[in-house]
Each structure stands twice: as structure tokens, then as C-alpha cells.
Amino acid sequence: MKRLEKDLNADIWKEFEISFEQVHKSFFDKLTIDYPTLTPKERRLCALLYLDLTTKEISQITGQSFKSIENARTRLRKKFDLTNEKVNLSTYLNSFKVDLL
């Protein structure tokens, strides 16, 4: 995570995705199958949320403002059709684990 904070280039993010995929097998596959319209940035945000990082932590890692991350989370909620405020986005993404077993 510290490397991601310091170096925001695409190669480091690609390395993160590969490492993430090795630990959390098929997460991106399931995400792509269920939500094929997600952009690469949205997929990256999903991975960071899956790791249960806070909006503040994601903001620091990505170099984006807190408000930008909040807006991105809101757009994700709409894409996932999570209109119920009681459903936590990180919890929802972690439910993918159960589906993969």
C-alpha cells in the first residue's frame, strides 16, 4: 500500500491488481461477469473497498480528493443497484467471497 501511495503510475497499479488477484482468486472475474460496464478505475476502487479501506485511506493511496472518492462510491452504489443506505459497499463486495466458494 505504501508503494501505491508514492507511485501512482499504471505499472504499479497493474502489479497491485495481479497481486490482489493471486490472493483473492476470481474476484475481478466475478465482478466483470456481474457488472461488465465497470471501468478500470471502478474495478480498482472495488478492490480497495474489498480490502475494507476507508474513503480517507483510498483518497491518500490514489491521490484523489476525499470528495472524489465519495462521488465514485456513490456511482458504484448506483451501478450495483444498492439503493438501501443500510447496505455497506465493502460488505457487499465481500459477499462475493461466499459466491466464489
Side-chain angles (χ1 to χ4, degrees):
M1 290 303 190
K2 293 292 183 193
R3 280 185 66 196
L4 291 175
E5 287 179 35
K6 292 178 185 172
D7 191 352
L8 298 174
N9 75 38
D11 291 338
I12 297 298
W13 280 110
K14 191 65 179 165
E15 183 179 318
F16 167 77
E17 284 184 8
I18 292 168
S19 297
F20 181 89
E21 183 67 29
Q22 289 173 348
V23 175
H24 306 283
K25 296 187 184 340
S26 303
F27 176 77
F28 286 131
D29 291 339
K30 172 117 175 82
L31 200 58
T32 302
I33 290 167
D34 289 356
Y35 303 100
T37 61
L38 291 179
T39 66
K41 283 187 177 185
E42 289 170 333
R43 289 167 34 97
R44 184 180 308 143
L45 178 59
C46 287
L48 295 171
L49 290 169
Y50 182 85
L51 295 174
D52 212 22
L53 296 178
T54 65
T55 300
K56 183 178 178 181
E57 291 167 329
I58 294 169
S59 172
Q60 291 170 341
I61 290 169
T62 61
Q64 294 178 296
S65 72
F66 184 87
K67 189 67 177 166
S68 295
I69 301 302
E70 282 185 333
N71 290 340
R73 289 177 66 127
T74 299
R75 285 190 300 274
L76 268 182
R77 292 182 69 79
K78 286 180 184 176
K79 281 192 175 186
F80 293 155
D81 198 26
L82 296 176
T83 55
N84 184 345
E85 293 292 324
K86 294 178 183 175
V87 177
N88 181 292
L89 196 50
S90 293
T91 303
Y92 176 75
L93 290 168
N94 274 281
S95 73
F96 281 28
K97 265 192 278 195
V98 175
D99 294 343
L100 295 174
L101 298 176

